[in-house]
Each structure stands twice: as structure tokens, then as C-alpha cells.
Amino acid sequence: MGGSGFLKPADTLAGRAVDDLTPFGIIARRASGERLVVIRGTKRMAEWIKNVDQEMVDWRNASDGAKVHKGFVDIFRTPRVHGQYGRIEGVCTYLGEESAIFVGHSLGSALSTILAIACADDDPVKGARLELITLASPRVGNGAFARRTDLLKRHVRVFNGPDAVTWVPMEWEGESYADAGGPSDALGYSSALHDRFVYNGLSDSDQIKCFHDPDVYLWFLSRDDELEPPDGC
């Protein structure tokens, strides 16, 4: 596997863009042996457009009324796993009986949530070996869909309180979106970040950069007092 633990490029998740392949994420292996499935956030304009398509649609053929964000599902259907595994759900087959941690930021969190739930739906025994860690995740579905994360071994939802992306969507045609998973983890930084950033006179456009940007999450997750917040914050 090599010192970095990353798999060969053929194991990259990719989606077909206009005339090229746009990487969506990578499958890696930790030193401890666990797999990591890491999915990126929004990159292309087409994805931004899908992000705001907050119509709820039925999750597969769920009998419990589970519904999911249509825009995220449309994007979820785009990536392919190189090789014989086909669509992104092929990651579930690829992992076999191995333990794995799904990680993403923003849109990547939404896609990681959908993928982890899909794996657990198909094989509850496999679901009990899977962990989900979401950073700055928007809401992905209704309460019935959110409860499906209970099929996983563990789910940690990391968010920055002032990050508006983590508050939405609110509802669709009278049905509320719900935060997925159990107790959320704000790491105790929410109020401190809000006070530090909001009262420094930031513009509205700076709020996303200083509350939602992955560098902000890396900064406060590091717990290193010597590190500075991202430039401009």
C-alpha cells in the first residue's frame, strides 16, 4: 500500500464532467488498518445548483417514509468507482468485510451520509462496522432518513454553531429536514468562534469563509493554540 496508505489512482471516486473526470474522493487505509472513504465538498457550478434543489424524494423503496434531498441524491448518482465496481454504491462491495470510516465536508458530508446509509441498508452487519464523521454537513433528509444512521457503528456530526450551512434545509412542503445522527459535537468552540468572527466586522460574504470553510474546521479541530485562523478571519 505504500507509506501514505493511499490506494492507486484506479481506486479514486470520480464523476464524469463535460470532457474530463472530476475526482470526488479517495479510498485510503489508516495505519491501524481501517479504511477511510473521504469525499470532497462542492467544486463545480452544477453541484452548487443541485445543492439548492431541496425537494424531498423517497429514499429507495423505504417503507418507513424516509425521504432525502433530491439535489444530493442526483449528485450521489454521478460518481463511479474505477474498475469493476460501477456506481458509488460499489464502495460497499469494495470494502468487503473491512471496517471503514466515511468522512466528508459540506456536500461531501451529505454524500458520505447517503453512502454509509446505503451500505448499512444493504447489509446491516456491514453497517455495524462503519463509522461516519461529518464536518459542516447540511441536513440530508427527513427524520426517518436521519434515524437510519442508527444502523452505523458510530456517527459524529461536527459543526461550527454560526455556520449557516449546518442549519439548512429547513423544510420542504411542510415536512421538516432533520439533523442526522445522535448527539452533535460542536467541540466547545461555537460561541468563541461566533464572538471572535461576528464582532470583528466581517461582511456577509466573509461569514461562509470564516464559519464554513474546511480550513476553519481544521483550525479548531487541531486544538493547537499556536495556529492562527484562516486569513481574513
Side-chain angles (χ1 to χ4, degrees), residues 153-171:
K153 177 181 179 181
R154 182 173 72 120
H155 171 220
V156 178
R157 175 177 174 261
V158 181
F159 71 101
N160 174 15
D163 181 357
V165 172
T166 67
W167 310 342
V168 296
M170 301 296 290
E171 58 88 26

Side-chain angles (χ1 to χ4, degrees), residues 34-230:
E34 291 174 303
R35 294 284 195 181
L36 285 175
V37 180
V38 184
I39 303 179
R40 66 161 171 81
T42 305
K43 182 179 177 68
R44 291 182 173 272
M45 180 56 66
E47 294 162 7
W48 284 110
I49 293 171
K50 290 292 185 183
N51 286 347
V52 298
D53 183 2
Q54 62 185 41
E55 177 185 352
M56 282 191 194
V57 294
D58 292 338
W59 169 244
R60 294 182 163 181
N61 295 315
S63 61
D64 61 353
K67 295 183 179 180
V68 67
H69 185 290
K70 181 180 183 298
F72 296 155
V73 169
D74 287 346
I75 298 172
F76 178 76
R77 291 171 177 157
T78 302
R80 300 290 189 273
V81 185
H82 286 299
Q84 64 185 3
Y85 297 99
R87 291 183 178 274
I88 191 172
E89 292 98 320
V91 170
C92 308
T93 303
Y94 180 96
L95 293 173
E97 297 183 357
E98 295 188 86
S99 298
I101 302 173
F102 294 81
V103 183
H105 172 269
S106 193
L107 170 63
S109 285
L111 300 181
S112 293
T113 299
I114 295 171
L115 179 55
I117 288 175
C119 292
D121 273 354
D122 291 342
D123 184 349
V125 174
K126 177 177 289 185
R129 295 191 295 267
L130 304 179
E131 300 180 56
L132 173 64
I133 301 176
T134 62
L135 308 176
S137 182
R139 293 166 178 156
V140 184
N142 64 359
F145 181 82
R147 286 190 292 275
R148 287 175 177 258
T149 57
D150 294 342
L151 297 170
L152 305 174
K153 177 181 179 181
R154 182 173 72 120
H155 171 220
V156 178
R157 175 177 174 261
V158 181
F159 71 101
N160 174 15
D163 181 357
V165 172
T166 67
W167 310 342
V168 296
M170 301 296 290
E171 58 88 26
W172 172 258
E173 294 187 346
E175 183 160 14
S176 297
Y177 275 85
D179 295 326
S184 301
D185 187 357
L187 301 179
Y189 287 84
S190 173
S191 296
L193 285 172
H194 188 276
D195 292 346
R196 180 167 183 170
F197 293 160
V198 170
Y199 300 112
N200 280 352
L202 297 180
S203 67
D204 290 343
S205 62
D206 288 330
Q207 300 298 319
I208 290 293
K209 177 179 73 173
C210 293
F211 293 156
H212 181 69
D213 192 272
D215 286 342
V216 172
Y217 280 80
L218 291 174
W219 172 59
F220 70 71
L221 282 168
S222 72
R223 300 180 181 272
D224 186 343
D225 293 336
E226 295 183 1
L227 291 179
E228 292 295 323

